Each structure stands twice: as structure tokens, then as C-alpha cells.
Amino acid sequence: VLNQNARIYLVKANNIKHPKDVPGNQWKKQGKHQEVLGPALDFWYKSGFKGGADGNSSVGGQLNTPSFVWIQANNLHNPNDAYQTITIFGVDDPQRKKLLQAIQNSNQLKEKIEVTLPWE
């Protein structure tokens, strides 16, 4: 699945709050804030590309269809060095290509690097 049509970005996520640090009774309220989501996931939810009723099923998937985008938070035990990994599969699709361009041009995702894959 990681072929010439896959892209990976690392996005700095300083001070992201670990989900275990959000009290269960506060999850509905705090879980939607950028300090819990991190910049990449916050961008994803606000971008219009996420699948489902409010988004783009060619990018974000839908019920019974996996997402073409994975976002993973990493190094949360050290908030000053935390980052998120964005993996996009199939950027040859026109809708996913638009997402790729949005990520590249995003002011919200200023501190990001693209991981160079060996077959590019």
C-alpha cells in the first residue's frame, strides 16, 4: 500500500494533550479542541475532506469503507516533542490530490515535513 501514490507528513504537535489526561466526563467538551486533537486531526475535521455525512467519502471513507487517510499521534509522553503522522494513500485520486495540496498549503500545519519514500 505504500507505493508512489502514498504520502507521509510529520506535523509538530507541541503541547498536545494525551487522551488519558482528559477526564471521562469532559471528553465530549474537551475532545473537540485542538489541544486534544492536535493540529493535524483538527485540520482534518475542519477541512471538509473527512468522510461521512459532512465530508468526502473519496478521501475520508464512509460507513463500511476505510479512510484513505490515517492520522496518528506520537510521542505523547513528551509533549514538547510530540508530533502527528499523516499518511495519505492513493494521491493519484483527484479528491485526495486536493487534500494533499490543502495540507501543503495549510497555514495551520506550518511545522511539517514530508517523509521521502524510497521509490519517489
Side-chain angles (χ1 to χ4, degrees):
V1 296
L2 284 177
N3 60 23
Q4 68 275 9
N5 292 315
R7 297 293 183 278
I8 300 173
Y9 284 89
L10 304 179
V11 179
K12 196 164 188 61
N14 283 352
N15 300 317
I16 187 172
K17 187 182 271 189
H18 196 292
K20 71 177 183 180
D21 294 333
V22 178
N25 63 347
Q26 292 294 312
W27 186 255
K28 280 190 172 187
K29 184 177 181 180
Q30 290 184 28
K32 297 178 182 176
H33 293 270
Q34 184 175 351
E35 61 268 8
V36 175
L37 293 172
L41 201 54
D42 186 59
F43 169 82
W44 177 242
Y45 280 110
K46 292 177 180 174
S47 70
F49 288 103
K50 185 181 175 303
D54 298 334
N56 184 331
S57 62
S58 296
V59 179
Q62 58 187 7
L63 187 61
N64 298 322
T65 303
S67 177
F68 296 96
V69 178
W70 294 352
I71 299 175
Q72 168 71 42
N74 303 284
N75 209 25
L76 295 179
H77 64 280
N78 190 351
N80 292 327
D81 292 324
Y83 65 96
Q84 291 176 298
T85 304
I86 304 172
T87 305
I88 310 168
F89 301 97
V91 296
D92 54 331
D93 175 89
Q95 294 300 311
R96 292 188 288 278
K97 190 173 280 199
K98 285 182 184 179
L99 170 63
L100 179 64
Q101 292 168 342
I103 289 170
Q104 291 169 338
N105 296 326
S106 172
N107 287 330
Q108 182 177 346
L109 304 176
K110 291 178 185 174
E111 296 186 70
K112 64 181 172 295
I113 60 168
E114 183 173 1
V115 176
T116 304
L117 300 173
W119 42 83
E120 298 223 15

